[in-house]
Amino acid sequence: MNKFQMENDGISHIVVPGTFDPVTYGHLDVIRRARRFCPRVTVAVAASVGKNGTGPVFTIEERVQMVRDALQEAWIDDGVDVSALTGLLVDFCHEHGAGGVVKGLRATTDFEYELQQADLNARLAPDIESIFIMSSPELGCISSSVVRELASFGSDVHLLVPPSVEKKLQERFGA
């Protein structure tokens, strides 16, 4: 079998990776939609120590718990696990038996970045598929960095994040 011939075995487990600092309704939309076409989803909360030149606002343990709480609030925790990701994504996929990675795309800038990552992952692990989901139009403007900035100024973020996440942001930023 050459590299262009495929076995028709399907993918029964996918990973949705991200920093989730914090998890937003946009993230939950991607996870919910990924779960619609795959029976098992693992949300991989990445350490991302040097993201954007700074570390994340919340610890990896806090972010894992926020994702778990948000999934439960959104009623999308059936068939969905949450784990910390501290190494390479492709290694995480192999260790967890996942055959694909799902990434949400909001704009062309997301696409350019994610395409580079997908190309690199394909070189490292050609058995792991990269799958892209376009964001829902009403959620495309939401990013964790925007949510953090708004929350740091005491702005209302209840339309952008689940109630449990809003509470954590208020605790963190004293709003």
Side-chain angles (χ1 to χ4, degrees), residues 13-20 23 27-28 30-32 40-46 63-64 67-68 71 76 79-85 92 96:
H13 181 196
I14 54 176
V15 171
V16 180
T19 307
F20 305 104
V23 62
H27 293 127
L28 294 176
V30 170
I31 296 164
R32 176 183 285 117
R40 184 169 170 221
V41 173
T42 298
V43 179
V45 180
R63 289 181 283 131
V64 164
V67 172
R68 285 184 178 139
L71 288 168
I76 51 175
V80 181
D81 297 315
V82 183
S83 294
L85 165 62
F92 181 93
H96 288 82

Side-chain angles (χ1 to χ4, degrees), residues 14-18 20 23-38 40-44 67 71 74 76 80 101-107 110 114 131-140 142:
I14 54 176
V15 171
V16 180
F20 305 104
V23 62
T24 68
Y25 283 133
H27 293 127
L28 294 176
D29 179 56
V30 170
I31 296 164
R32 176 183 285 117
R33 291 164 63 201
R35 178 62 181 84
R36 287 180 64 198
F37 64 83
C38 195
R40 184 169 170 221
V41 173
T42 298
V43 179
V67 172
L71 288 168
I76 51 175
V80 181
V101 173
V102 171
K103 298 297 295 247
L105 301 176
R106 294 170 297 189
D110 284 348
E114 296 301 344
I131 304 159
F132 299 107
I133 294 179
M134 298 306 299
S135 67
S136 296
E138 67 275 10
L139 300 172
I142 302 173

